[in-house]
Amino acid sequence: MKLLHAADLHIDSPLRGLDRYPGAPAEHLRNATRTAVDNLVDLALEEEVTAVLLAGDIYDGSWRDVNTGLYFTEQMRRLREADIPVFMISGNHDAENKMTMKLTLPDNVHRFPAQSAGSSVHEDLGLAVHGQSFAQAKVTDDLAAGYRSAVPGLFNVGLLHTSLDGRPGHDRYAPCNLERLVDHGYGYWALGHIHKREVVHGDGVHVVFPGNTQGRHAGETGPKGCTLVTVDGSGSVTGLEHRDLDTAARWHEVPVRMTDALDLDDACGLVERELQSRVTDHAVDGRVDAVRVVAVGASEAHTALLTRREGFTAEVRGLGQDYPSVWIEKVRVDTSRPHDRVPPERLAGLVADVREEAARLGASPERVLEVLTGTGLQGKLPAEVRASFDRDDGWAGRMADGAADLLVAMLEESR
């Protein structure tokens, strides 16, 4: 069988903040979530999948109008015409909108209830799907604990909208232990809520976040889409393939190392080179590539980049205009002044001087205490370290050696 697993469609997400960017392709970006869903359905039809699995956050909270719901039902009817069943749960964003639960869906769509975990068993397909929707926006209980045991003789799938044991940048909803999922007896856990694709477990039992179907802002970069799952006749997962759906828009963060830049012209040349290799060489017809350029690294051009930031930004935006697919969303400067270089002939002498001074300090605890007190460092040390000052156990030597090791490492890094 083939299963198509998607989550976090966020249909008609408002993409807040685009009005701050004059010239932004706002309408194109706002329609991108629908284009991704169109592509999802097209892919299901093309692959003739056994079923589609939707792991929550179909919508993006409150709808602006009823057309959002009507659009989704229209896409589900396309699957109904091909006899493709859809199994879905509602996530935290879906639960924010009461209209979501009242929406009448085509009869090929099974939406799992929110009151308790449910199961949908299809012996004709060799498939049993289990799931539970969110009853409200904030669910802090371990929903997976209430899922029934696997149905013998069938391929069992668990649909779950969860943060697992926590993921940076995401609310801790329906938390659960990975070990519980792996030991539950299912062949596949179709997860949602985390917008970055991750195969959490892939040995025997597959536990997968497919990521969201469409990046919606500069924090959701790179390819976005769904996961095509292939299962053989013995119930083993033999294929786990990411498929892109974000053909309307893709977000990129492009760090550009400015180490070799002596001035703004050099900096712009480095930006153009990175844009070509990381974005424009992979452009897709009809797709907007929204790019955040970040100048990084120690550079002789640091002062010019800071004092002429607006000019640098204008130049980079101009570079983007040379490529029809590129929209420069933002230009950020995170460079620093170049390190003072230590000539090789001086380095050996400096290292020797540092080691010699460390040896003198290590032999004089009183001098070390004087340094620590005079610089205010003594009060910042852990209590157990300060307690050792009254003991003659070689603490001064250890501290002097540690400081020397740090200084030597910094000197060697500056070569």
Side-chain angles (χ1 to χ4, degrees):
M1 68 175 72
K2 289 182 181 180
L3 305 171
L4 201 57
H5 170 203
D8 301 282
L9 284 57
H10 291 278
I11 299 171
D12 291 343
S13 174
L15 297 173
R16 298 177 183 86
L18 284 179
D19 53 347
R20 297 198 304 268
Y21 303 105
E27 200 57 35
H28 191 95
L29 291 171
R30 287 196 177 98
N31 289 331
T33 55
R34 291 200 182 196
T35 301
V37 177
D38 292 345
N39 292 338
L40 175 70
V41 174
D42 289 344
L43 179 61
L45 297 174
E46 177 186 333
E47 292 287 344
E48 298 180 345
V49 298
T50 308
V52 172
L53 311 169
L54 301 179
D57 281 357
I58 311 303
Y59 309 109
D60 195 67
S62 298
W63 304 345
R64 287 176 292 176
D65 59 59
V66 73
N67 286 321
T68 300
L70 294 177
Y71 164 76
F72 179 66
T73 59
E74 175 188 345
Q75 296 306 309
M76 295 304 98
R77 286 194 181 93
R78 290 178 59 199
L79 295 173
R80 182 182 184 276
E81 291 172 2
D83 292 324
I84 296 176
V86 179
F87 302 95
M88 64 175 282
I89 53 175
S90 297
N92 53 292
H93 283 277
D94 300 320
E96 292 176 5
N97 190 325
K98 302 306 178 186
M99 291 174 65
T100 298
M101 299 304 180
K102 296 178 181 177
L103 181 69
T104 301
L105 296 169
D107 58 12
N108 64 316
V109 179
H110 180 92
R111 181 169 57 202
F112 288 92
Q115 295 75 21
S116 61
S119 300
S120 184
V121 178
H122 298 264
E123 293 188 2
D124 57 325
L125 300 177
L127 180 67
V129 184
H130 316 272
Q132 183 174 353
S133 292
F134 274 35
Q136 61 273 339
K138 293 184 178 180
V139 173
T140 57
D141 296 332
D142 181 357
L143 298 183
Y147 282 37
R148 67 173 286 184
S149 300
V151 178
L154 301 179
F155 186 74
N156 286 258
V157 173
L159 273 176
L160 184 64
H161 200 76
T162 179
S163 59
L164 283 184
D165 52 2
R167 291 294 186 278
H170 292 275
D171 292 317
R172 192 174 172 82
Y173 291 153
C176 65
N177 185 283
L178 176 61
E179 186 177 357
R180 178 194 295 281
L181 302 187
V182 173
D183 292 342
H184 212 80
Y186 298 174
Y188 187 85
W189 282 92
L191 307 185
H193 183 52
I194 306 304
H195 288 189
K196 184 177 181 181
R197 186 174 192 269
E198 181 182 358
V199 179
V200 185
H201 193 275
D203 184 13
V205 178
H206 288 73
V207 182
V208 177
F209 287 110
N212 53 341
T213 55
Q214 172 61 57
R216 301 169 302 146
H217 51 71
E220 297 180 346
T221 58
K224 297 293 183 178
C226 60
T227 297
L228 181 64
V229 185
T230 306
V231 183
D232 67 14
S234 66
S236 298
V237 173
T238 57
L240 208 62
E241 183 182 355
H242 170 82
R243 292 293 188 91
D244 293 347
L245 299 175
D246 56 345
T247 59
R250 181 172 294 178
W251 296 80
H252 308 260
E253 180 168 293
V254 177
V256 183
R257 186 154 292 281
M258 292 292 169
T259 307
D260 296 331
L262 300 178
D263 52 30
L264 286 187
D265 286 343
D266 289 345
C268 290
L270 292 171
V271 170
E272 184 170 24
R273 189 185 312 162
E274 286 296 315
L275 283 177
Q276 288 177 341
S277 65
R278 299 174 65 127
V279 180
T280 61
D281 285 352
H282 309 283
V284 172
D285 287 343
R287 187 181 74 197
V288 169
D289 288 299
V291 180
R292 176 172 292 187
V293 172
V294 186
V296 298
S299 174
E300 296 288 350
H302 171 69
T303 300
L305 288 168
L306 286 183
T307 58
R308 298 172 59 189
R309 188 191 301 261
E310 290 187 5
F312 177 58
T313 298
E315 290 288 338
V316 172
R317 291 194 187 280
L319 290 174
Q321 290 176 350
D322 290 339
Y323 305 98
S325 71
V326 173
W327 168 58
I328 302 296
E329 177 260 349
K330 183 178 286 188
V331 178
R332 202 172 76 225
V333 175
D334 282 344
T335 55
S336 60
R337 291 182 178 84
H339 300 298
D340 292 332
R341 301 295 176 186
V342 179
E345 61 273 14
R346 287 193 58 209
L347 183 60
L350 285 170
V351 169
D353 290 344
V354 168
R355 293 296 185 194
E356 185 179 340
E357 181 62 23
R360 281 198 295 268
L361 282 172
S364 175
E366 297 81 9
R367 175 59 181 151
V368 176
L369 272 176
E370 183 182 328
V371 172
L372 292 174
T373 304
T375 56
L377 291 173
Q378 184 176 359
K380 299 179 181 179
L381 294 173
E384 60 269 20
V385 175
R386 295 198 303 271
S388 68
F389 291 171
D390 298 327
R391 301 195 303 268
D392 185 16
D393 61 355
W395 65 268
R398 290 196 299 275
M399 294 191 75
D401 286 343
D405 289 343
L406 178 60
L407 283 171
V408 169
M410 293 172 67
L411 285 170
E412 291 178 341
E413 192 177 281
S414 69
R415 283 185 295 185

